[in-house]
């Protein structure tokens, strides 16, 4: 396995998987993704830079509550879903100890489970009849949420929401936007460049009920911007930065 020494994260050497999993024990929630260029990530989201192996594994849906495309009620949660195996080269998480021991003993592999969503933004089972989720074996970046329970062999399982936009750069929605950026002359970020950029975006904590939104910390992003002015002009960094400025967050 090639270990990528990136500022955003590095491979762990110590820690207890059971302790790490407690950080992610709550059932995940996810709203519809409204923009292709990200403005930040939920505080419990992990960024994974990895290469698909081409292996498919059936896994339980875990604690994900999902809906049939044509029904207003949850499906049975014991129906297996398809996971895609990825060899992880680097990772980033907002919590400094968030992934400190997850990959120990897994051979640097992860199982990623894609999820779609309905028009009312409720999570839905990925429509495999529309085609394979990952159709390329190139290195790519995934935004995913770690499950509390790993596979029987210890391989960590991550859920990937809004999978129509994942991973970067091989998802069809992303490919179409990259083509537009190339035609416009702005260029685009490679998977590794995007990984470092995305890791610098602000973590967006979910506020407690009735509490105001906490302030967004853009320190890492400002540092990245100062160090990478040329990359900042490429998509999707250019679009993300423009939107953050328009929101008064940068």
């Amino acid at each position: 396995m090639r270990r990528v020494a990136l500022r955003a994260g590095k491979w762990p050497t110590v820690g207890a998987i059971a302790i790490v999993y407690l950080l992610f024990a709550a059932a995940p929630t996810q709203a519809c993704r409204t923009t292709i260029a990200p403005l930040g990530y939920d505080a419990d989201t992990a960024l994974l830079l990895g290469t698909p192996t081409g292996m498919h594994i059936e896994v339980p849906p875990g604690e994900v509550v999902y809906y049939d495309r044509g029904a207003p009620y949850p499906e049975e949660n014991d129906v297996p879903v398809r996971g895609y195996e990825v060899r992880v080269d680097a990772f980033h998480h907002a919590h400094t100890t968030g992934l400190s021991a997850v990959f120990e003993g897994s051979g640097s592999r992860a199982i990623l489970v894609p999820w779609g969503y309905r028009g009312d933004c409720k999570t839905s089972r990925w429509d495999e009849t529309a085609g394979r989720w990952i159709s390329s074996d190139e290195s790519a970046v995934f935004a995913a949420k770690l499950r509390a329970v790993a596979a029987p062999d210890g391989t960590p399982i991550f859920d990937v929401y809004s999978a129509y936009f994942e991973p970067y750069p091989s998802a069809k929605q992303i490919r179409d936007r990259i083509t537009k950026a190339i035609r416009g002359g702005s260029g685009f970020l490679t998977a590794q460049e995007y990984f470092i950029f995305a890791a610098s975006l602000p973590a967006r904590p979910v506020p407690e009920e009735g509490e105001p939104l906490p302030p967004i910390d853009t320190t890492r992003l400002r540092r990245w911007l100062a160090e990478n002015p040329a990359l900042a002009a490429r998509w999707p960094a250019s679009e993300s930065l423009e939107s953050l400025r328009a929101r008064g967050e940068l």
Side-chain angles (χ1 to χ4, degrees):
M1 180 204 70
R2 179 176 58 89
R3 300 185 179 183
V4 181
L6 299 177
R7 182 170 299 175
K10 61 181 181 179
W11 280 114
T13 56
V14 295
I17 294 179
I19 295 176
V20 175
Y21 281 151
L22 292 177
L23 295 173
F24 303 89
T29 59
Q30 182 77 15
C32 290
R33 182 168 171 177
T34 57
T35 59
I36 297 181
L39 305 182
Y41 291 98
D42 294 345
D44 60 348
T45 295
L47 293 172
L48 307 176
L49 174 66
T51 306
T53 67
M55 296 290 292
H56 299 163
I57 301 97
E58 282 197 339
V59 297
E63 297 182 356
V64 179
V65 176
Y66 63 96
Y67 292 77
D68 190 358
R69 291 180 176 275
Y73 52 84
E75 292 182 344
E76 295 294 332
N77 255 24
D78 58 354
V79 178
V81 292
R82 177 177 289 188
Y84 291 71
E85 186 182 84
V86 171
R87 186 182 71 250
V88 179
D89 298 317
F91 62 80
H92 169 77
H93 191 274
H95 299 295
T96 55
T97 59
L99 294 177
S100 61
V102 167
F103 295 102
E104 288 185 352
S106 72
S108 306
R109 294 175 298 119
I111 299 171
L112 306 185
V113 180
W115 297 97
Y117 56 82
R118 306 189 315 180
D120 58 3
C121 290
K122 294 184 183 298
T123 299
S124 65
R125 187 184 181 97
W126 180 255
D127 185 9
E128 294 288 353
T129 63
R132 292 176 58 184
W133 174 47
I134 302 176
S135 57
S136 172
D137 61 358
E138 66 180 293
S139 179
V141 180
F142 304 80
K145 299 195 177 186
L146 179 67
R147 288 193 182 184
V149 179
D153 65 355
T155 303
I157 303 174
F158 291 80
D159 291 298
V160 179
Y161 298 90
S162 298
Y164 305 105
F165 303 98
E166 301 286 344
Y168 180 95
S170 57
K172 183 181 183 306
Q173 297 275 5
I174 301 296
R175 288 286 194 194
D176 292 346
R177 189 59 184 81
I178 284 175
T179 298
K180 183 178 178 180
I182 293 174
R183 290 173 178 170
S186 63
F188 64 98
L189 299 178
T190 66
Q192 183 167 321
E193 290 169 344
Y194 176 77
F195 174 79
I196 298 175
F197 165 71
S200 74
L201 289 170
R204 295 186 176 274
V206 178
E208 298 292 334
E209 186 175 354
E211 295 294 324
L213 287 172
I216 300 299
D217 185 0
T218 59
T219 302
R220 288 175 59 92
L221 180 57
R222 292 176 186 277
R223 184 182 304 120
W224 179 90
L225 184 57
E227 295 175 353
N228 301 277
L231 296 182
R234 299 180 187 174
W235 192 85
S238 57
E239 186 173 331
S240 296
L241 295 169
E242 180 180 357
S243 297
L244 288 168
R245 292 185 180 109
R247 292 161 62 102
E249 295 181 346
L250 183 62

